[in-house]
Amino acid sequence: MIDPFEAAGPLRTAYLDVDWAGGPLGPVSTWSPTLRGAVDLLLQTRNAVTLFWGPQFVMVYNAAYVDMIGDKHPAALGAPAREVFAEIWEEIGPLLESVLAGRGATWAEDMKLYMDRHGYPEETYFTFSYSAVRGPDGVIEGVIDIASETTVQVIDRRRLDLLGRLTDRIGDIDTVPQLLARALPVLRSDPDDLPDVDLRPVGDSPLDRAGDGPIRIPLADGLDLITGLSPHLPDDEAYRGFLRLVAAALVQGLSRAAARRIAAVEREIAEALQRSLLSNPAQPDNLDVAVRYHPASEGARVGGDWYDAFLLPDGGLAVTVGDVSGHDREAAAAMSQIRSLLRGIASALPGPPDRVLTALDDAMARFGVDTLTSVILGYVDLGTYELHWSNAGHPPPLLLGPDGTVTVLETPAEIILGARVAARRTHHRLRLAPGTAVIFYTDGLVERPDRGLDAGIAALRATLTGRQQLTAVQLCDDLSATVTDRVDDDVVLLIIRRPA
């Protein structure tokens, strides 16, 4: 007789050790041609395959199937499946009965089974199909199982999903209470990996497991991650590595929160410093004046943008908006110096704005104010409402007429202050009709990373058109609403308006 176990390879000894004659299948010599052919087929393949033969579903399998059943081998070979898989019989028994009864093949994908194959009920997952094996007469003699274990893939996906959701939920937290409120629901959504998980004040329990008790992983800000370990999963490096990744995500969230808190404090200090350098504008009886300052949204930065509005000795009003290059304390200090120099020169030196800007440029060189700055300086005669202005490399002001039209007060380009080159400066004039407003601003209002200066000015014109009925304060509020969190530069607004 041909040896039916010749192809069993590493299982040949186990096959020979089974008392087939004393078991449900009887002596090998009496096995049906269908059974012998099925056994030969499964022994010839390297895929994990098992047969469940006869009404007792006696198990016959190949070497690739052994890893799936662990400690159940070799006792499972030649034994009824109900005895071998007593702990999962409620799940797989009805499937096998259905196939044996002729109701067709079954299919299960990533089926969860708590299998006792290493001395404890282990969480496992399998994708498999039970199919009928028929004899020549069409009678179903047994069931063949072609299976693959997907435990690692399923658990890895579950853990990656949790880590992704956790990172998303705590990506923008600012405080520890926020972390608790957002992180704990995510952590507790995976009790299979993190039973009884919690975030608690620092304790002295080590990372190592104490019997069946929880483990404690130190985080930051006085918090520990505390969790039990699943009794259904091996306490291996993959499990501990997952816990370390969870802890790392929490620490990263806490670190970002701490950095944001520090940045917020610095930002408040910087804004307070910047605002302390900008005094309240003069408010003449017959002209509306409104100003706004918006700091850059990125980091704790003081900058060089400024505004000023002050009365001159002759009774006129001087208005100025400027922008010192840079975004740091040096820029803020230079801005304060230039602003003070401009006030002093304008008050002491009668004459048009272009003459004052020329004197200011000379004073900056003389006093060692080594920086570049754009500035626009205007004088308003409060008797005639005539506006005189000079522009040193600054974005042009806009004129909102009493009919709602907007004009850009574009003038020939003139060099900025601090360039240390001789420059001829000019000044320009126009009369402000009743209901006319003039809008001065710095480039942060109109420039964006995705939008140039010209396009920004065009957008500003569109925003202002038809708003001639608004006061200077209302216009400032409307334009301030266009300043978003994306602004990466300071924004200064100064608006004068002759009442209608």
Side-chain angles (χ1 to χ4, degrees), residues 193-340:
D193 288 308
L194 302 170
D196 302 318
V197 67
D198 203 356
L199 295 170
R200 299 179 193 166
V202 171
D204 56 0
S205 298
L207 176 60
D208 294 330
R209 198 173 184 178
D212 293 326
I215 62 171
R216 181 186 292 264
I217 306 177
L219 301 177
D221 282 1
L223 281 183
D224 281 354
L225 169 65
I226 299 174
T227 183
L229 292 178
S230 171
H232 305 297
L233 294 172
D235 183 4
D236 56 11
E237 179 55 30
Y239 201 163
R240 292 301 179 115
F242 164 67
L243 297 180
R244 287 192 291 269
L245 288 174
V246 172
L250 294 168
V251 169
Q252 189 175 43
L254 288 167
S255 298
R256 284 195 295 260
R260 273 192 290 273
R261 290 196 298 271
I262 294 171
V265 171
E266 291 179 352
R267 183 177 175 81
E268 289 175 4
I269 294 172
E271 287 185 30
L273 171 63
Q274 185 84 13
R275 294 183 191 282
S276 71
L277 301 175
L278 302 176
S279 58
N280 291 327
Q283 295 287 351
D285 293 336
N286 50 353
L287 194 71
D288 290 339
V289 181
V291 296
R292 292 290 187 275
Y293 167 70
H294 300 279
S297 61
E298 290 188 0
R301 303 194 302 176
V302 292
D305 290 22
W306 88 86
Y307 61 78
D308 204 358
F310 54 94
L311 292 174
L312 297 167
D314 63 3
L317 178 73
V319 293
T320 180
V321 166
D323 185 358
V324 173
S325 61
H327 293 89
D328 50 30
R329 291 177 177 84
E330 286 74 17
M335 176 270 285
S336 180
Q337 284 182 284
I338 295 168
R339 184 172 176 272
S340 297

Side-chain angles (χ1 to χ4, degrees), residues 309-391:
F310 54 94
L311 292 174
L312 297 167
D314 63 3
L317 178 73
V319 293
T320 180
V321 166
D323 185 358
V324 173
S325 61
H327 293 89
D328 50 30
R329 291 177 177 84
E330 286 74 17
M335 176 270 285
S336 180
Q337 284 182 284
I338 295 168
R339 184 172 176 272
S340 297
L341 283 171
L342 179 54
R343 270 199 170 214
I345 294 170
S347 298
L349 182 66
D354 58 312
R355 183 180 175 189
V356 173
L357 290 184
T358 299
L360 176 61
D361 204 4
D362 292 341
M364 288 171 59
R366 189 163 58 251
F367 292 115
V369 183
D370 190 17
T371 189
L372 299 174
T373 183
S374 67
V375 62
I376 187 165
L377 173 64
Y379 288 173
V380 182
D381 185 322
L382 297 177
T384 65
Y385 290 100
E386 192 169 60
L387 169 67
H388 301 251
W389 80 94
S390 184
N391 190 337

